PDB file of all heavy atoms in Angstrom:
ATOM      1  N   GLN A 233     -21.841  -3.347  -3.815  1.00 92.00           N
ATOM      2  CA  GLN A 233     -21.000  -2.980  -2.632  1.00 92.00           C
ATOM      3  C   GLN A 233     -19.636  -3.411  -2.871  1.00 92.00           C
ATOM      4  O   GLN A 233     -19.403  -4.490  -3.266  1.00 92.00           O
ATOM      5  CB  GLN A 233     -21.578  -3.640  -1.374  1.00 92.00           C
ATOM      6  CG  GLN A 233     -20.770  -3.232  -0.116  1.00 92.00           C
ATOM      7  CD  GLN A 233     -21.450  -3.714   1.147  1.00 92.00           C
ATOM      8  OE1 GLN A 233     -22.563  -4.345   1.173  1.00 92.00           O
ATOM      9  NE2 GLN A 233     -20.799  -3.641   2.245  1.00 92.00           N
ATOM     10  N   LEU A 234     -18.756  -2.431  -2.690  1.00 95.00           N
ATOM     11  CA  LEU A 234     -17.281  -2.599  -2.690  1.00 95.00           C
ATOM     12  C   LEU A 234     -16.608  -2.366  -1.350  1.00 95.00           C
ATOM     13  O   LEU A 234     -16.885  -1.250  -0.765  1.00 95.00           O
ATOM     14  CB  LEU A 234     -16.675  -1.748  -3.721  1.00 95.00           C
ATOM     15  CG  LEU A 234     -17.279  -1.773  -5.245  1.00 95.00           C
ATOM     16  CD1 LEU A 234     -16.547  -0.705  -6.054  1.00 95.00           C
ATOM     17  CD2 LEU A 234     -17.081  -3.189  -5.786  1.00 95.00           C
ATOM     18  N   VAL A 235     -15.921  -3.275  -0.904  1.00 96.00           N
ATOM     19  CA  VAL A 235     -15.306  -3.109   0.464  1.00 96.00           C
ATOM     20  C   VAL A 235     -13.827  -3.366   0.274  1.00 96.00           C
ATOM     21  O   VAL A 235     -13.408  -4.518   0.089  1.00 96.00           O
ATOM     22  CB  VAL A 235     -15.944  -4.127   1.504  1.00 96.00           C
ATOM     23  CG1 VAL A 235     -15.324  -3.942   2.879  1.00 96.00           C
ATOM     24  CG2 VAL A 235     -17.420  -3.969   1.592  1.00 96.00           C
ATOM     25  N   GLU A 236     -13.179  -2.309   0.732  1.00 98.00           N
ATOM     26  CA  GLU A 236     -11.690  -2.437   0.676  1.00 98.00           C
ATOM     27  C   GLU A 236     -11.092  -2.887   2.069  1.00 98.00           C
ATOM     28  O   GLU A 236     -11.727  -2.547   3.062  1.00 98.00           O
ATOM     29  CB  GLU A 236     -10.992  -1.032   0.307  1.00 98.00           C
ATOM     30  CG  GLU A 236     -11.431  -0.535  -1.024  1.00 98.00           C
ATOM     31  CD  GLU A 236     -12.585   0.496  -0.901  1.00 98.00           C
ATOM     32  OE1 GLU A 236     -13.380   0.351   0.142  1.00 98.00           O
ATOM     33  OE2 GLU A 236     -12.822   1.321  -1.719  1.00 98.00           O
ATOM     34  N   SER A 237      -9.962  -3.456   1.972  1.00 97.00           N
ATOM     35  CA  SER A 237      -9.227  -3.905   3.209  1.00 97.00           C
ATOM     36  C   SER A 237      -7.768  -4.032   2.931  1.00 97.00           C
ATOM     37  O   SER A 237      -7.367  -4.027   1.758  1.00 97.00           O
ATOM     38  CB  SER A 237      -9.819  -5.275   3.762  1.00 97.00           C
ATOM     39  OG  SER A 237      -9.599  -6.289   2.781  1.00 97.00           O
ATOM     40  N   GLY A 238      -6.933  -4.130   3.958  1.00 98.00           N
ATOM     41  CA  GLY A 238      -5.564  -4.298   3.893  1.00 98.00           C
ATOM     42  C   GLY A 238      -4.705  -3.133   4.061  1.00 98.00           C
ATOM     43  O   GLY A 238      -3.480  -3.252   4.032  1.00 98.00           O
ATOM     44  N   GLY A 239      -5.249  -1.964   4.308  1.00 98.00           N
ATOM     45  CA  GLY A 239      -4.569  -0.744   4.575  1.00 98.00           C
ATOM     46  C   GLY A 239      -3.853  -0.857   5.982  1.00 98.00           C
ATOM     47  O   GLY A 239      -4.139  -1.797   6.739  1.00 98.00           O
ATOM     48  N   GLY A 240      -3.053   0.008   6.251  1.00 98.00           N
ATOM     49  CA  GLY A 240      -2.378   0.047   7.423  1.00 98.00           C
ATOM     50  C   GLY A 240      -1.175   1.074   7.515  1.00 98.00           C
ATOM     51  O   GLY A 240      -0.934   1.915   6.603  1.00 98.00           O
ATOM     52  N   LEU A 241      -0.311   0.898   8.489  1.00 98.00           N
ATOM     53  CA  LEU A 241       0.821   1.680   8.768  1.00 98.00           C
ATOM     54  C   LEU A 241       2.044   0.968   8.302  1.00 98.00           C
ATOM     55  O   LEU A 241       2.345  -0.081   8.963  1.00 98.00           O
ATOM     56  CB  LEU A 241       0.912   2.248  10.084  1.00 98.00           C
ATOM     57  CG  LEU A 241       2.199   2.960  10.541  1.00 98.00           C
ATOM     58  CD1 LEU A 241       2.260   4.296   9.602  1.00 98.00           C
ATOM     59  CD2 LEU A 241       2.081   3.351  11.917  1.00 98.00           C
ATOM     60  N   VAL A 242       2.930   1.382   7.482  1.00 98.00           N
ATOM     61  CA  VAL A 242       4.146   0.727   7.096  1.00 98.00           C
ATOM     62  C   VAL A 242       5.222   1.735   6.897  1.00 98.00           C
ATOM     63  O   VAL A 242       5.053   2.897   6.732  1.00 98.00           O
ATOM     64  CB  VAL A 242       4.030  -0.022   5.772  1.00 98.00           C
ATOM     65  CG1 VAL A 242       2.985  -1.213   5.929  1.00 98.00           C
ATOM     66  CG2 VAL A 242       3.642   0.917   4.642  1.00 98.00           C
ATOM     67  N   GLN A 243       6.440   1.328   7.110  1.00 98.00           N
ATOM     68  CA  GLN A 243       7.593   2.125   6.901  1.00 98.00           C
ATOM     69  C   GLN A 243       7.955   2.180   5.359  1.00 98.00           C
ATOM     70  O   GLN A 243       7.598   1.317   4.589  1.00 98.00           O
ATOM     71  CB  GLN A 243       8.888   1.584   7.498  1.00 98.00           C
ATOM     72  CG  GLN A 243       8.802   1.627   9.135  1.00 98.00           C
ATOM     73  CD  GLN A 243      10.009   1.300   9.783  1.00 98.00           C
ATOM     74  OE1 GLN A 243      10.326   1.702  10.947  1.00 98.00           O
ATOM     75  NE2 GLN A 243      10.870   0.413   9.031  1.00 98.00           N
ATOM     76  N   ALA A 244       8.504   3.342   4.954  1.00 98.00           N
ATOM     77  CA  ALA A 244       9.098   3.449   3.613  1.00 98.00           C
ATOM     78  C   ALA A 244       9.834   2.237   3.202  1.00 98.00           C
ATOM     79  O   ALA A 244      10.638   1.736   3.929  1.00 98.00           O
ATOM     80  CB  ALA A 244       9.859   4.739   3.476  1.00 98.00           C
ATOM     81  N   GLY A 245       9.532   1.805   1.916  1.00 98.00           N
ATOM     82  CA  GLY A 245      10.217   0.674   1.352  1.00 98.00           C
ATOM     83  C   GLY A 245       9.453  -0.585   1.696  1.00 98.00           C
ATOM     84  O   GLY A 245       9.693  -1.730   1.125  1.00 98.00           O
ATOM     85  N   GLY A 246       8.411  -0.576   2.556  1.00 98.00           N
ATOM     86  CA  GLY A 246       7.592  -1.760   2.836  1.00 98.00           C
ATOM     87  C   GLY A 246       6.547  -1.948   1.818  1.00 98.00           C
ATOM     88  O   GLY A 246       6.440  -1.318   0.821  1.00 98.00           O
ATOM     89  N   SER A 247       5.763  -3.086   2.068  1.00 98.00           N
ATOM     90  CA  SER A 247       4.670  -3.497   1.124  1.00 98.00           C
ATOM     91  C   SER A 247       3.373  -3.658   1.844  1.00 98.00           C
ATOM     92  O   SER A 247       3.374  -4.038   3.046  1.00 98.00           O
ATOM     93  CB  SER A 247       5.192  -4.824   0.443  1.00 98.00           C
ATOM     94  OG  SER A 247       6.285  -4.676  -0.238  1.00 98.00           O
ATOM     95  N   LEU A 248       2.324  -3.586   1.113  1.00 98.00           N
ATOM     96  CA  LEU A 248       0.960  -3.862   1.497  1.00 98.00           C
ATOM     97  C   LEU A 248       0.188  -4.481   0.303  1.00 98.00           C
ATOM     98  O   LEU A 248       0.445  -4.027  -0.865  1.00 98.00           O
ATOM     99  CB  LEU A 248       0.224  -2.599   2.000  1.00 98.00           C
ATOM    100  CG  LEU A 248       0.627  -2.065   3.335  1.00 98.00           C
ATOM    101  CD1 LEU A 248      -0.098  -0.700   3.648  1.00 98.00           C
ATOM    102  CD2 LEU A 248       0.231  -3.030   4.513  1.00 98.00           C
ATOM    103  N   ARG A 249      -0.695  -5.172   0.589  1.00 98.00           N
ATOM    104  CA  ARG A 249      -1.697  -5.632  -0.475  1.00 98.00           C
ATOM    105  C   ARG A 249      -3.138  -5.210  -0.030  1.00 98.00           C
ATOM    106  O   ARG A 249      -3.596  -5.826   0.967  1.00 98.00           O
ATOM    107  CB  ARG A 249      -1.506  -7.196  -0.718  1.00 98.00           C
ATOM    108  CG  ARG A 249      -2.381  -7.590  -1.952  1.00 98.00           C
ATOM    109  CD  ARG A 249      -2.264  -9.098  -2.195  1.00 98.00           C
ATOM    110  NE  ARG A 249      -3.160  -9.954  -1.396  1.00 98.00           N
ATOM    111  CZ  ARG A 249      -3.612 -11.082  -1.663  1.00 98.00           C
ATOM    112  NH1 ARG A 249      -3.245 -11.638  -2.750  1.00 98.00           N
ATOM    113  NH2 ARG A 249      -4.357 -11.806  -0.742  1.00 98.00           N
ATOM    114  N   LEU A 250      -3.705  -4.530  -0.895  1.00 98.00           N
ATOM    115  CA  LEU A 250      -5.065  -4.149  -0.712  1.00 98.00           C
ATOM    116  C   LEU A 250      -5.964  -5.012  -1.422  1.00 98.00           C
ATOM    117  O   LEU A 250      -5.658  -5.523  -2.434  1.00 98.00           O
ATOM    118  CB  LEU A 250      -5.313  -2.710  -1.175  1.00 98.00           C
ATOM    119  CG  LEU A 250      -4.374  -1.620  -0.554  1.00 98.00           C
ATOM    120  CD1 LEU A 250      -4.786  -0.255  -1.127  1.00 98.00           C
ATOM    121  CD2 LEU A 250      -4.350  -1.579   1.008  1.00 98.00           C
ATOM    122  N   SER A 251      -7.124  -5.278  -0.819  1.00 98.00           N
ATOM    123  CA  SER A 251      -8.149  -6.089  -1.455  1.00 98.00           C
ATOM    124  C   SER A 251      -9.425  -5.291  -1.478  1.00 98.00           C
ATOM    125  O   SER A 251      -9.811  -4.463  -0.744  1.00 98.00           O
ATOM    126  CB  SER A 251      -8.479  -7.339  -0.600  1.00 98.00           C
ATOM    127  OG  SER A 251      -7.336  -8.197  -0.492  1.00 98.00           O
ATOM    128  N   CYS A 252     -10.203  -5.554  -2.555  1.00 96.00           N
ATOM    129  CA  CYS A 252     -11.497  -5.036  -2.819  1.00 96.00           C
ATOM    130  C   CYS A 252     -12.477  -6.067  -3.119  1.00 96.00           C
ATOM    131  O   CYS A 252     -12.381  -6.684  -4.190  1.00 96.00           O
ATOM    132  CB  CYS A 252     -11.442  -3.949  -3.891  1.00 96.00           C
ATOM    133  SG  CYS A 252     -13.029  -3.314  -4.381  1.00 96.00           S
ATOM    134  N   ALA A 253     -13.286  -6.364  -2.176  1.00 94.00           N
ATOM    135  CA  ALA A 253     -14.287  -7.387  -2.347  1.00 94.00           C
ATOM    136  C   ALA A 253     -15.641  -6.782  -2.777  1.00 94.00           C
ATOM    137  O   ALA A 253     -16.123  -5.967  -2.208  1.00 94.00           O
ATOM    138  CB  ALA A 253     -14.555  -8.207  -1.010  1.00 94.00           C
ATOM    139  N   ALA A 254     -16.192  -7.457  -3.856  1.00 90.00           N
ATOM    140  CA  ALA A 254     -17.295  -6.870  -4.481  1.00 90.00           C
ATOM    141  C   ALA A 254     -18.510  -7.859  -4.410  1.00 90.00           C
ATOM    142  O   ALA A 254     -18.388  -9.113  -4.320  1.00 90.00           O
ATOM    143  CB  ALA A 254     -17.221  -6.564  -5.946  1.00 90.00           C
ATOM    144  N   SER A 255     -19.793  -7.263  -4.255  1.00 85.00           N
ATOM    145  CA  SER A 255     -20.942  -8.013  -4.345  1.00 85.00           C
ATOM    146  C   SER A 255     -21.251  -8.577  -5.644  1.00 85.00           C
ATOM    147  O   SER A 255     -20.769  -7.999  -6.650  1.00 85.00           O
ATOM    148  CB  SER A 255     -22.117  -7.376  -3.618  1.00 85.00           C
ATOM    149  OG  SER A 255     -22.336  -6.194  -4.342  1.00 85.00           O
ATOM    150  N   GLY A 256     -22.122  -9.667  -5.748  1.00 72.00           N
ATOM    151  CA  GLY A 256     -22.554 -10.138  -6.957  1.00 72.00           C
ATOM    152  C   GLY A 256     -21.432 -10.490  -7.939  1.00 72.00           C
ATOM    153  O   GLY A 256     -20.355 -11.072  -7.437  1.00 72.00           O
ATOM    154  N   ARG A 257     -21.598 -10.187  -9.142  1.00 64.00           N
ATOM    155  CA  ARG A 257     -20.644 -10.591 -10.173  1.00 64.00           C
ATOM    156  C   ARG A 257     -19.785  -9.414 -10.648  1.00 64.00           C
ATOM    157  O   ARG A 257     -19.278  -9.482 -11.896  1.00 64.00           O
ATOM    158  CB  ARG A 257     -21.252 -11.346 -11.334  1.00 64.00           C
ATOM    159  CG  ARG A 257     -22.023 -12.564 -10.995  1.00 64.00           C
ATOM    160  CD  ARG A 257     -22.940 -13.085 -12.052  1.00 64.00           C
ATOM    161  NE  ARG A 257     -22.202 -13.470 -13.223  1.00 64.00           N
ATOM    162  CZ  ARG A 257     -22.761 -13.841 -14.357  1.00 64.00           C
ATOM    163  NH1 ARG A 257     -24.088 -13.837 -14.514  1.00 64.00           N
ATOM    164  NH2 ARG A 257     -21.994 -14.128 -15.472  1.00 64.00           N
ATOM    165  N   THR A 258     -19.616  -8.403  -9.859  1.00 60.00           N
ATOM    166  CA  THR A 258     -18.974  -7.158 -10.350  1.00 60.00           C
ATOM    167  C   THR A 258     -17.560  -7.392 -10.931  1.00 60.00           C
ATOM    168  O   THR A 258     -17.282  -6.905 -11.985  1.00 60.00           O
ATOM    169  CB  THR A 258     -18.866  -6.201  -9.207  1.00 60.00           C
ATOM    170  OG1 THR A 258     -20.316  -5.908  -8.698  1.00 60.00           O
ATOM    171  CG2 THR A 258     -18.282  -4.924  -9.659  1.00 60.00           C
ATOM    172  N   VAL A 259     -16.749  -8.145 -10.195  1.00 64.00           N
ATOM    173  CA  VAL A 259     -15.370  -8.229 -10.555  1.00 64.00           C
ATOM    174  C   VAL A 259     -15.255  -8.992 -11.849  1.00 64.00           C
ATOM    175  O   VAL A 259     -14.457  -8.664 -12.630  1.00 64.00           O
ATOM    176  CB  VAL A 259     -14.618  -8.865  -9.473  1.00 64.00           C
ATOM    177  CG1 VAL A 259     -13.115  -9.208  -9.961  1.00 64.00           C
ATOM    178  CG2 VAL A 259     -14.435  -7.890  -8.211  1.00 64.00           C
ATOM    179  N   GLY A 260     -16.117  -9.945 -12.017  1.00 69.00           N
ATOM    180  CA  GLY A 260     -16.155 -10.835 -13.064  1.00 69.00           C
ATOM    181  C   GLY A 260     -16.485 -10.240 -14.457  1.00 69.00           C
ATOM    182  O   GLY A 260     -16.128 -10.681 -15.586  1.00 69.00           O
TER     183      GLY A 260
END
């Protein structure tokens, strides 16, 4: 299972950091 978060509404020039949390040892 992969679950993204961190999206949203921002103005041009702004910043966001998205995260993707994975089950098990997927990322590793």
Side-chain angles (χ1 to χ4, degrees):
Q233 183 176 348
L234 306 175
V235 180
E236 303 94 335
S237 62
L241 173 63
V242 298
Q243 294 188 152
S247 298
L248 284 174
R249 188 178 78 157
L250 306 184
S251 298
C252 173
S255 64
R257 300 170 61 188
T258 298
V259 172

